Amino acid sequence: MQDGRTTLSKFLIDTLDRKPGPEAASGLSALLIDVAASIKTIAAALTRGALGGQHGSAQSVNTHGEEQKKLDLVTNDIFLQHCEWDGLLAGMVSEEMDGVYAIPDAYPRGEYLLAFDPLDGSSNIDINGVVGSIFSVLKRAPDESHAADEASFLRPGREQVAAGYAIYGPSTMLVLSVGNGTHGFTLERDVGNFVLTHSDIRIPEDSCEFAINASNERFWEPPVRRYVQECKDGRTGCRAQDFNMRWIASMVAEVHRILMRGGVFMYPRDFKTPAMEGRLRLLYEANPMSFIVEQAGGLSITGRERILDMKARALHQRVPVILGSRNEVARIHRYHGEYDRGEDKPFTSPLFNERSLFLPETPA
Ligand code: F6P
């Protein structure tokens, strides 16, 4: 007998298995249930906090040269253990592993590819702040029969068949999309079920809130500096309204806020480390978050191009990310175009900020 609530399993069976379509009976719902099991296990581990004995450095660095925390490795293993056995995956990629993780010979292989960041924003662990996990699911190309390798994963993000994230805050939520909108489930801890609480999330098209690490301002490109300056000018500037700024240092937390009430998140291209194209990783951060955001009516770009159209060149490729409320992201895209075409003279003029003199009203 139904209690009127929709659990994750019911949602997935109704959405994927009982609807005609490419993922019907393909096992995608079972794979996502295993991903959800990883998330529940991670939530339980995080809730124990310092009592779990897993805080602090693992005394190792990952493939990006970043210090790994014990929890980075523990949460990575949790994903591997929950997802490697089910016969649905051909391989896995994660922020914490150099190459493609091959499914052990003891288990059957499947046709899906899982890329994940097991613990996003892990610098927040030490301060008991919000962290998350991010995941992306691709299907192997139909003509691919060899063991999954790097090339198997190097596909445009628009080909994802599912993507999502978990946010470990006061409550744990799983937000996901299988291509029919973005939906949020809240973990009912005492029962262990994810329950649908946020159906078909829509990001407001306009917003007066932006998120960026402002300590990098001197390294930003002019179009980003222009946008942020205009926001900071508030009601006395060309935007004629006050803006609010937030920075949680966890992409999951920023994206979640944007899904709940709108806004823009930017980790743009900058010249702090010229060799790096951006800060965030394409396969397991930018692509899944872009999929989630677009499925909720928002936009996600590098500044110049749609992230979901990029073809990845490497497993751990980094990209600039600007995502969120449609009209704000479109405006930032336009600013990049105007800059590239040399059409944004008002911004570079010393009279920039003199709204009445130089800046036309610029509806997105
Ligand atoms: O690794 C990614 C990440 O932790 C994001 O989740 C977050 O948005 C960003 O890095 C934080 O960067 P910064 O250290 O510049 O605040």
Side-chain angles (χ1 to χ4, degrees), residues 125-198:
I125 286 292
D126 299 335
I127 60 160
N128 203 10
V130 173
V131 290
S133 303
I134 312 174
F135 63 92
S136 157
V137 184
L138 286 164
K139 204 171 190 175
R140 254 151 85 86
D143 54 347
E144 199 180 286
S145 52
H146 57 79
D149 57 13
E150 177 164 2
S152 314
F153 282 84
L154 302 184
R155 308 239 302 276
R158 62 172 183 269
E159 293 182 9
Q160 292 169 104
V161 292
Y165 66 81
I167 178 165
Y168 310 105
S171 62
T172 292
M173 284 189 70
L174 168 62
V175 175
L176 67 77
S177 178
V178 293
N180 72 335
T182 292
H183 309 280
F185 300 80
T186 302
L187 181 61
E188 196 175 21
R189 275 183 210 274
D190 40 347
V191 181
N193 273 339
F194 274 112
V195 179
L196 182 64
T197 48
H198 297 68

Side-chain angles (χ1 to χ4, degrees), residues 66 95 117 119-123 134 213 215-216 247-254 265 267 272 279-281 285 318:
E66 299 160 347
E95 178 171 3
D117 176 357
L119 196 60
D120 170 69
S122 58
S123 67
I134 312 174
N213 183 343
S215 69
N216 293 328
W247 189 248
I248 309 178
S250 159
M251 186 193 199
V252 163
E254 317 281 4
F265 166 82
Y267 219 116
K272 190 174 181 181
R279 160 78 189 242
L280 300 169
R281 272 51 63 115
E285 292 180 319
R318 295 175 189 262

Side-chain angles (χ1 to χ4, degrees), residues 225-302:
R225 290 174 45 210
R226 172 184 178 187
Y227 177 78
V228 171
Q229 185 60 52
E230 289 176 359
C231 293
K232 290 195 297 184
D233 289 344
R235 71 178 64 191
T236 57
C238 68
R239 299 298 305 269
Q241 56 188 342
D242 289 336
F243 280 73
N244 201 7
M245 200 192 85
R246 291 281 181 265
W247 189 248
I248 309 178
S250 159
M251 186 193 199
V252 163
E254 317 281 4
V255 168
H256 193 69
R257 184 187 60 251
I258 288 168
L259 286 171
M260 295 297 108
R261 68 178 190 215
V264 179
F265 166 82
M266 291 172 275
Y267 219 116
R269 183 167 169 219
D270 68 39
F271 299 105
K272 190 174 181 181
T273 315
M276 269 171 32
E277 281 175 75
R279 160 78 189 242
L280 300 169
R281 272 51 63 115
L282 178 58
L283 289 190
Y284 41 82
E285 292 180 319
N287 269 346
M289 289 311 206
S290 301
F291 192 75
I292 287 284
V293 164
E294 287 201 5
Q295 285 289 321
L299 293 181
S300 182
I301 59 171
T302 61

